[in-house]
Amino acid sequence: MTRVGRANSWLLGLALLSLCSLAPAGDPEPVRSPGGEPGRVHALVGAAIVPAPGQRLERGTILIRDGLIEAIGPAVKVPDDAQVWDLSGRTIYPGLIEPYLRLASRPDPEAKPAAAPAPPAGGGATHPNPKIQAHQDVARGLILEREALASLRQAGFTAALVAPERGILRGTSALVALRDGTAREQVIEARVAHHLAFEYGGWESRSYPNSLMGAMALARQTLLDAEHNAAAWEVYRRKPLGAPRPQSDESLKSLGDALSGQLPLCLEARDAGMLLRGANLLREFELVPWVVLGSNDAPRWLDEVRASEAQLILSLNFAPLPIWDSEAELPDVAHAALRAWHEEPAAPGLLERAGVSFAFTSQGLKDRSQLLARVREAISRGLSEQAALEALTTVPSKLLGAPQLGTIRTGGAANLTISVGPLFEETSAVTEVWVEGLRYPTQTELPTPKDLAGRWRLSGPGEDLVLELSHEEGLLSGKIPAAAGEEGAEDQALGPVELWRDRLRIQLPASSGGLILTLRGRPPLLEGRLGEGPLLLQKLAPKPKAPKEGQPPPRPLRPLDLPVRAPWPPL
C-alpha cells in the first residue's frame, strides 16, 4: 500500500471512530469474544430476586455463563469477563412457562370438502380418517414466527409447550425455548404429550364425525384399535412364519407410548362437563390425564374434578361481562352468561383453597398483553400471589418434566422474566426476558406525552419525591403535590418538562434543589444517573376516584363459596 493510501485509510478510521463516539448512549454493547461472538458471561446486579414462589432476595446478583445460572446471591463476585447489567428498581422472576400453545402447522383437512374423506396431509400408512393425526409430531415441522415469539416474550414467557392445532387425536407436542434461531436450537423436548380434542363438524359436514357423540366414539374406537394393533404386531414379531401380517398404521403405532403410560394424554375440554366425560374415557384406558380447561367452572363439580386425578391447565380467558343497550334488554341476558362472568375469575382461588394444583395458559386470549391483568383479577377474587406465580412457573415445570425451568437456581437454564416492581402490581410491566442466556427487551416503542401522564415516584441519592405529570396538546407539565395533612402546604410547579424520543428532561423547583434531571426509558420505569448513584422514576397507581356525592362506595367482589352440587350425571 502507498503512503497516500495508508494516510487515507487512517483518516477513514478516525472519521468512523468520531461517528461512533457521537452515537446516542443506549444499552451497553455486548462484550465480544476474540472470535467476535457476543459474550457468554453476564452479571445481572442490583435487582430484587424471586428464585422461586415464596422466596425473595431484596438485592442480589445473578451470574450467567453459557446459558446457565452459575451463581445467585447477595454477594456474588462478578468475574472480569462478565458483561454487567444494572437492574436497580427491577425484580427478577423465573421465566414464565406457557403450558399450552396452539400454533397452526398444516392446512385443515376439511378446507376443501370432497365426496369421500381426504387422506391425511402426510399420506402414507396413516389412519383413514383425517381427524386422526396421532402420528404428527410438532417438533418435525416447527416454525415459530417472529411475531408469535415477540408476543409471547412481551407477556413474560420464556418457554412454551407447542401443541398440534387440529383433529381429534392430534399428535404430540414439543417443549420449546422462546428464543430466536432454528427449530434445532429451540426444541427442548421433542415429544412431551399426546393431544385429544372432541372436534367435529356441523351437520353440513361431509366427513365423519359431525357430532360430539361421533367424535367421542371415534376417539374411543381409535384407542381400542391401537391396543389391538400393538398386540397383533407383538404376536406377529414373535412368530412371523405362517401368520398374516397386521396392517401398518403410523397413527395407531404412535399411540403406543400413551397407552403404555410413557407419555400423558392432554384433553382440550371447553368446560367441566367435557372434562368429566373425557376423564372417563382416559380412565378406561388407564392413561395419564392432563386437561386444558377452557371454562373456569371446575369448582362447580369440585369432588368429581378432584377424583379425575387430571392435571389441570386453566385458561385465563374469563367470560366477558354481557352487554345490553337498555334496561328493556336485561331480561334477555342469559343467566348462565352472568353467572360465568361473576364466577370464573374466582375459580382459581377456590381450587387453591381446595388443594387442587393447576397451571395457567394464555391460550384463548385475543391479546397476550392482558395476561397479567387477568391474573390480577383472579388475585382480587381470592387467589394468593404465591399460587399465581406457581401456576406460571413451578407447576408447568413439573407438569412438563423440565426441572431446569421454573426456578432460578445454580445449574438451571438462564430463563428469566424481569419486571418493574412486583410482577402482579397494577403499575408493573415486563421490561425484558432472558432465554437460555440471551436477552430480549420487550419494550421497543417510544413513549408519548400521554404515556407519561400520571403519578410517579422519583428516587435516587438524596431524592425521594412524588411527581404528577400531565399533558395538554402534546406538551408536558408537572408538579410536586403538597403532602397530605400538612397545613398551608401548596403544590410546587416543576420547571420545563421536555420529552425527546425516549429521554425525559425535568427541572425540579428551587425548593427541591433546582436540579435538571435527564432520564431515559418508557413507562413504568425511566432511569438516569445522579452523581454516582442510579436515579429511578417509577409510575405509581392512580389515586382511587372518590364516589360522587350521595353514592355509596363500590362494594368489592369477594371470593365465592359455592353451594354443594349434585354429583355429575353419568353419560
Side-chain angles (χ1 to χ4, degrees):
M1 182 182 289
T2 65
R3 185 179 303 173
V4 174
R6 285 196 296 270
N8 288 340
S9 299
W10 182 84
L11 289 172
L12 177 60
L14 181 62
L16 290 173
L17 181 63
S18 301
L19 286 174
C20 291
S21 66
L22 293 173
D27 288 331
E29 284 296 317
V31 177
R32 301 276 171 177
S33 72
E37 300 87 2
R40 294 175 177 269
V41 186
H42 303 272
L44 281 53
V45 303
I49 302 173
V50 179
Q55 302 175 18
R56 184 178 176 88
L57 184 63
E58 288 302 329
R59 187 176 179 87
T61 296
I62 296 176
L63 185 62
I64 299 171
R65 186 181 297 274
D66 295 331
L68 302 176
I69 305 293
E70 184 172 278
I72 173 177
V76 174
K77 183 179 179 181
V78 178
D80 294 338
D81 60 342
Q83 180 174 3
V84 178
W85 303 84
D86 185 356
L87 297 179
S88 301
R90 295 173 174 83
T91 305
I92 304 178
Y93 291 87
L96 306 188
I97 304 170
E98 169 58 82
Y100 188 72
L101 173 66
R102 281 187 303 157
L103 292 178
S105 57
R106 61 186 186 279
D108 187 345
E110 288 198 20
K112 295 181 179 180
T126 56
H127 199 279
N129 192 301
K131 289 193 178 296
I132 302 301
Q133 297 282 322
H135 60 286
Q136 295 284 356
D137 289 338
V138 162
R140 292 184 180 179
L142 180 69
I143 299 176
L144 295 176
E145 302 290 346
R146 285 187 175 273
E147 293 78 8
L149 284 170
S151 169
L152 288 158
R153 292 195 292 244
Q154 285 169 2
F157 291 116
T158 60
L161 183 76
V162 182
E165 187 187 38
R166 296 191 180 96
I168 294 177
L169 285 159
R170 297 178 167 183
T172 53
S173 51
L175 178 61
V176 301
L178 299 176
R179 52 170 289 176
D180 294 340
T182 64
R184 289 187 299 173
E185 295 170 312
Q186 294 166 334
V187 172
I188 300 171
E189 184 65 40
R191 287 169 60 86
V192 177
H194 275 276
H195 289 264
L196 165 68
F198 298 129
E199 179 183 297
Y200 56 92
W203 293 111
E204 70 282 356
S205 173
R206 297 187 180 185
S207 63
Y208 176 81
N210 52 18
S211 68
L212 174 59
M213 181 173 65
M216 296 186 69
L218 179 58
R220 185 173 184 273
Q221 186 61 55
T222 303
L223 292 171
L224 287 170
D225 291 345
E227 282 187 333
H228 180 270
N229 184 262
W233 272 102
E234 185 177 353
V235 170
Y236 179 75
R237 289 191 181 99
R238 285 203 304 261
K239 191 177 180 181
L241 297 177
R245 178 182 56 80
Q247 287 188 354
S248 293
D249 189 316
E250 289 301 309
S251 289
L252 299 183
K253 180 181 177 181
S254 179
L255 289 169
D257 46 17
L259 291 168
S260 64
Q262 296 177 40
L263 292 184
L265 195 147
C266 180
L267 167 68
E268 181 181 312
R270 65 168 179 255
D271 54 28
M274 190 169 286
L275 181 159
L276 297 175
R277 292 185 179 97
N280 287 338
L281 177 65
L282 272 56
R283 191 182 299 114
E284 177 184 350
F285 292 91
E286 299 180 354
L287 304 175
V288 180
W290 294 1
V291 175
V292 179
L293 189 58
S295 172
N296 280 270
D297 60 347
R300 297 176 60 80
W301 312 101
L302 190 56
D303 291 339
E304 291 79 11
V305 170
R306 190 189 286 116
S308 73
E309 300 181 352
Q311 299 290 324
L312 291 183
I313 301 173
L314 302 183
S315 171
L316 287 167
N317 188 25
F318 300 143
L321 174 66
I323 302 298
W324 54 91
D325 295 328
S326 66
E327 292 186 5
E329 297 179 17
L330 181 57
D332 295 330
V333 177
H335 178 264
L338 286 170
R339 184 180 65 194
W341 162 76
H342 181 63
E343 291 181 357
E344 286 195 8
L350 289 168
L351 291 174
E352 179 197 359
R353 292 191 291 278
V356 178
S357 176
F358 56 85
F360 280 142
T361 175
S362 65
Q363 185 65 42
L365 291 177
K366 292 183 178 179
D367 184 356
R368 282 194 175 87
S369 66
Q370 293 298 308
L371 171 79
L372 296 181
R374 298 299 177 91
V375 176
R376 284 194 291 269
E377 189 176 356
I379 290 172
S380 71
R381 300 293 301 279
L383 179 67
S384 71
E385 290 192 15
Q386 180 172 329
L389 185 57
E390 289 172 352
L392 292 166
T393 55
T394 53
V395 173
S397 168
K398 182 179 179 181
L399 185 70
L400 302 175
Q404 74 275 29
L405 306 178
T407 58
I408 305 174
R409 58 178 173 176
T410 302
N415 283 22
L416 308 170
T417 298
I418 302 176
S419 68
V420 177
L423 188 62
F424 301 129
E425 279 192 358
E426 185 178 352
T427 56
S428 179
V430 175
T431 58
E432 60 188 84
V433 298
W434 289 68
V435 184
E436 296 183 339
L438 301 175
R439 177 177 179 264
Y440 296 97
T442 59
Q443 297 181 325
T444 56
E445 296 180 1
L446 295 175
T448 65
K450 184 178 179 180
D451 295 331
L452 295 171
R455 298 172 66 244
W456 297 80
R457 177 172 295 281
L458 179 69
S459 57
E463 301 289 347
D464 190 4
L465 302 170
V466 173
L467 310 180
E468 289 187 7
L469 302 182
S470 56
H471 76 100
E472 185 175 353
E473 296 182 356
L475 299 177
L476 284 165
S477 60
K479 65 181 181 180
I480 300 176
E486 290 187 11
E487 282 191 32
E490 296 182 353
D491 296 344
Q492 301 177 59
L494 299 177
V497 180
E498 301 172 347
L499 174 66
W500 183 77
R501 294 182 63 80
D502 61 346
R503 290 175 173 81
L504 180 68
R505 185 174 179 272
I506 297 175
Q507 182 173 357
L508 299 180
S511 58
S512 297
L515 295 174
I516 297 177
L517 308 175
T518 301
L519 302 110
R520 183 176 183 181
R522 61 167 289 115
L525 182 71
L526 282 75
E527 300 174 274
R529 303 291 296 180
L530 183 57
E532 296 299 320
L535 188 67
L536 303 177
L537 187 65
Q538 185 170 349
K539 198 160 192 179
L540 301 175
K543 291 181 178 179
K545 294 182 180 180
K548 295 181 180 180
E549 187 175 351
Q551 288 186 350
R555 185 178 65 181
L557 293 173
R558 297 179 179 178
L560 296 177
D561 291 319
L562 296 178
V564 177
R565 303 280 173 176
W568 181 255
L571 295 177

